[in-house]
Amino acid sequence: MKMKYNENICKFASGKSNQCLTTYAFVYEKNAPQEPAFRTNDFNTIYFVTQGAGTLATEQGKKRINAGKIFFTFKQIPYKIQNTDNIQYMYITFDGSRAEDLFAHFGITPLNCVFDGYEGLVAFWESSIIKASEKNLDLISESVLYYTLGEMVPSQSTGEQLLLSEIVKYVDENFMDGKLNLTAIATHFGYNSKYLSRVFKDSMGITFSDYLTNTRIQHAVFLIKQNVTSVKNIALLSGYKDPLYFSNVFKTKIGVSPKEYIAKTNSAN
């Protein structure tokens, strides 16, 4: 059957891999919906805009996305895509330990996640998704991901950028430690806390405290979606010793209490 030009194309891999990078889906979104609210995913995503224009909104602000741009979203980090001018885009979802290495190598961060000038890759992406099938989707989607990154110029990281990458990685791996804070980070890396605070704010656009809080609350949301229903356990697993304090922070960030969010999530399942 001949496929209509304006039909979306959605292809999914098995998700099984013995490698440190796994791709899950390769999609051509030709009828991009409006996203009224922020959402999070359990994987990272590389997007390639083929036509039109829109806006990528994150907690760090808004960035224009249009034809020829590549942009990224990150697992458990809220975002929404706003379709302002008939935007069409393709995307590949992926995860694994190799993903963090690739992000660090190319200087890809939540603040630096939109890249321009890749119009020449349209035919490559389109022909690749057409060729993809259930039997070869994992190989094709991984190849497209690696080839696209190979076309990007690796970031010429300064000493501060490298330090920031190490701090972000350390926080992402240790946020469940209730004693983790800026002072502990400064001690671990051997820097003055005021200096680290300035570097973090200048590079990420938010304070270290806000980043740590966002990371912990995003993990709490993930736990709730995994059917963890004890507020005390969720708090402890998210780096909070005091469930009451955790509940106050959660409500400030999400808009409802953990109990309310648990009830809402359970009713939706």
Side-chain angles (χ1 to χ4, degrees), residues 104-154:
H105 182 66
F106 291 96
I108 301 168
T109 68
L111 191 64
N112 183 43
C113 60
V114 179
F115 305 87
D116 199 4
Y118 295 93
E119 293 86 349
L121 293 180
V122 172
F124 171 66
W125 275 68
E126 289 184 338
S127 63
S128 295
I129 197 169
I130 291 172
K131 293 176 183 176
S133 67
E134 183 178 348
K135 294 182 178 180
N136 65 10
L137 180 60
D138 54 344
L139 295 175
I140 286 183
S141 55
E142 287 176 22
S143 297
V144 172
L145 173 60
Y146 277 119
Y147 183 84
T148 302
L149 288 170
E151 291 292 300
M152 298 172 63
V153 178

Side-chain angles (χ1 to χ4, degrees), residues 21-232:
L21 184 102
T22 304
T23 56
Y24 299 96
F26 194 178
V27 176
Y28 200 160
E29 192 72 68
K30 294 186 178 182
N31 299 292
Q34 290 287 359
E35 296 183 351
F38 282 91
R39 64 188 179 102
T40 60
N41 292 321
D42 296 329
F43 39 73
N44 305 295
T45 307
I46 179 174
Y47 294 82
F48 179 51
V49 183
T50 57
Q51 294 184 42
T55 301
L56 171 67
T58 69
E59 292 180 332
Q60 282 74 45
K62 293 183 178 181
K63 296 179 183 292
R64 179 175 170 78
I65 48 177
N66 53 269
K69 285 189 177 181
I70 293 169
F71 66 97
F72 295 83
T73 59
F74 308 85
K75 62 180 181 180
Q76 298 305 318
I77 295 184
Y79 74 96
K80 63 179 175 180
I81 298 172
Q82 298 170 314
N83 184 353
T84 60
D85 186 16
N86 300 316
I87 191 171
Q88 295 186 17
Y89 52 79
M90 307 177 74
Y91 65 84
I92 296 171
T93 59
F94 64 98
D95 198 11
S97 58
R98 176 65 173 153
E100 299 303 321
D101 295 334
L102 291 170
F103 289 153
H105 182 66
F106 291 96
I108 301 168
T109 68
L111 191 64
N112 183 43
C113 60
V114 179
F115 305 87
D116 199 4
Y118 295 93
E119 293 86 349
L121 293 180
V122 172
F124 171 66
W125 275 68
E126 289 184 338
S127 63
S128 295
I129 197 169
I130 291 172
K131 293 176 183 176
S133 67
E134 183 178 348
K135 294 182 178 180
N136 65 10
L137 180 60
D138 54 344
L139 295 175
I140 286 183
S141 55
E142 287 176 22
S143 297
V144 172
L145 173 60
Y146 277 119
Y147 183 84
T148 302
L149 288 170
E151 291 292 300
M152 298 172 63
V153 178
S155 172
Q156 299 298 317
S157 298
T158 65
E160 287 188 351
Q161 289 173 328
L162 290 172
L163 174 60
L164 177 67
S165 296
E166 289 297 316
I167 292 174
V168 169
K169 182 179 179 181
Y170 188 81
V171 171
D172 291 347
E173 293 175 350
N174 296 277
F175 66 86
M176 289 184 286
D177 181 356
K179 296 180 180 179
L180 186 66
N181 55 29
L182 183 60
T183 300
I185 290 288
T187 300
H188 178 80
F189 286 95
Y191 284 88
N192 179 276
S193 60
K194 290 184 178 180
Y195 168 73
L196 291 186
S197 178
R198 192 271 300 168
V199 170
F200 203 94
K201 180 65 181 297
D202 289 350
S203 299
M204 297 292 286
I206 58 174
T207 66
F208 173 83
S209 177
D210 283 340
Y211 181 82
L212 178 58
T213 298
N214 290 343
T215 301
R216 285 172 167 168
I217 297 303
Q218 288 159 17
H219 184 67
V221 169
F222 169 76
L223 291 174
I224 293 172
K225 290 181 178 179
Q226 298 304 307
N227 296 319
V228 180
T229 57
S230 166
V231 174
K232 181 179 180 180

